[in-house]
Amino acid sequence: DFVRRNPNPTHPRLAFASFLGDIREHQASHDQMEKAREFDPKNPAPWNDLANYYGHFGPVKKSFEYYAKAIELNPREPVYYQNFATTVFLFRKDVREFYQIEEQQVFDKALELYGEAIKLDPDNFELAADVARTYYGIKPTRTVEALAAWEYTLKVATNQIERESVHVNLARIKLNAGRFDEARQHLNAVTNELHTVVKDRLIRNLIEKERKAKATNPPSATDNK
């Protein structure tokens, strides 16, 4: 599931809708959410949950309107911004058509929404990691911004496993940026066996990229003096 339900589904119809969704009675779940929205249109929770539904089952463009309404009704709930950002990033073609913007502007919109979520929930590691991972899908690569996002994620990590997972990502980005020594330092910080496979793969890539870089740019005679 790429989006999150309302964190506090106080309305009984929303709780029932959640149950129906869990047992894959999706249309019935939608109907309960819609009834909750009609009963209390100023409650942002049904708008968010319906937006989640439209993001999964369509029409996707309707989810944009519903997330925006949830945020309008409660601009202090980070989950609404996070859900909206994720949906914007995943459905870029629909976003371009709906808002009449270019792809780079779509990326900017997603990151802006993620930024609002982080302002409201600055110590949330999973949220910070979600934001940082977004940069893998942005082309051309925004290396400086991606590194800043992962550095922030490292700062809010709560345990060694989380910290090592961030070091893996920092190593990957710096490896691709040709910053080999820094990439190696991050990999040296990874010791948990959970990361062994990806660490070994990155080390092989690092060795290969260093070899190619040296072959392309051999040391000059003056370098050896």
Side-chain angles (χ1 to χ4, degrees):
D1 196 356
F2 59 84
V3 290
R4 289 161 174 76
R5 294 170 180 163
N6 181 65
N8 299 298
T10 54
H11 197 287
R13 286 195 182 275
L14 292 183
F16 187 36
S18 177
F19 165 75
L20 290 170
D22 289 342
I23 63 173
R24 300 185 181 278
E25 294 288 343
H26 299 301
Q27 184 58 53
S29 175
H30 167 272
D31 294 344
Q32 291 298 318
M33 289 185 282
E34 188 59 46
K35 288 177 181 178
R37 186 188 69 84
E38 292 172 357
F39 177 79
D40 186 5
K42 292 187 177 181
N43 181 353
W47 293 92
N48 172 76
D49 291 357
L50 282 163
N52 292 349
Y53 175 89
Y54 293 127
H56 279 93
F57 303 105
V60 171
K61 292 175 183 176
K62 200 167 184 177
S63 71
F64 308 151
E65 299 178 57
Y66 277 54
Y67 283 131
K69 186 65 177 179
I71 290 170
E72 176 189 327
L73 292 169
N74 182 7
R76 302 295 301 170
E77 176 50 64
V79 167
Y80 301 159
Y81 292 99
Q82 183 177 6
N83 286 345
F84 196 2
T86 302
T87 304
V88 165
F89 184 78
L90 291 176
F91 298 99
R92 295 190 286 277
K93 181 177 181 293
D94 297 279
V95 175
R96 289 177 62 182
E97 294 173 355
F98 186 81
Y99 293 102
Q100 292 295 293
I101 57 178
E102 299 301 319
E103 186 169 63
Q104 292 303 312
Q105 293 173 299
V106 176
F107 292 140
D108 292 339
K109 183 174 182 64
L111 292 169
E112 181 180 352
L113 288 164
Y114 274 131
E116 292 299 322
I118 285 183
K119 286 179 186 177
L120 294 167
D121 195 3
D123 298 321
N124 187 326
F125 173 82
E126 291 299 330
L127 170 59
D130 279 351
V131 177
R133 281 190 288 266
T134 299
Y135 285 95
Y136 286 121
I138 297 178
K139 304 300 177 186
T141 303
R142 302 183 184 184
T143 301
V144 173
E145 294 179 37
L147 288 173
W150 281 113
E151 290 289 355
Y152 180 85
T153 306
L154 182 62
K155 186 173 72 171
V156 299
T158 60
N159 57 59
Q160 189 61 21
I161 291 177
E162 290 179 349
R163 283 188 285 272
E164 290 191 16
S165 72
V166 176
H167 281 297
V168 166
N169 284 282
L170 285 167
R172 179 183 288 118
I173 295 172
K174 291 183 178 181
L175 172 59
N176 290 332
R179 295 162 62 171
F180 302 135
D181 289 341
E182 293 176 57
R184 183 174 281 104
Q185 290 174 14
H186 286 296
L187 291 173
N188 288 340
V190 178
T191 59
N192 193 288
E193 62 181 10
L194 288 173
H195 306 298
T196 298
V197 173
V198 66
K199 176 183 177 179
D200 289 345
R201 184 170 68 247
L202 286 171
I203 289 174
R204 291 194 298 271
N205 289 343
L206 174 60
I207 293 171
E208 180 63 16
K209 283 181 178 286
E210 282 184 319
R211 184 188 65 78
K212 289 181 178 179
K214 289 177 181 178
T216 305
N217 302 293
S220 63
T222 55
D223 292 335
N224 295 323
K225 289 182 180 180

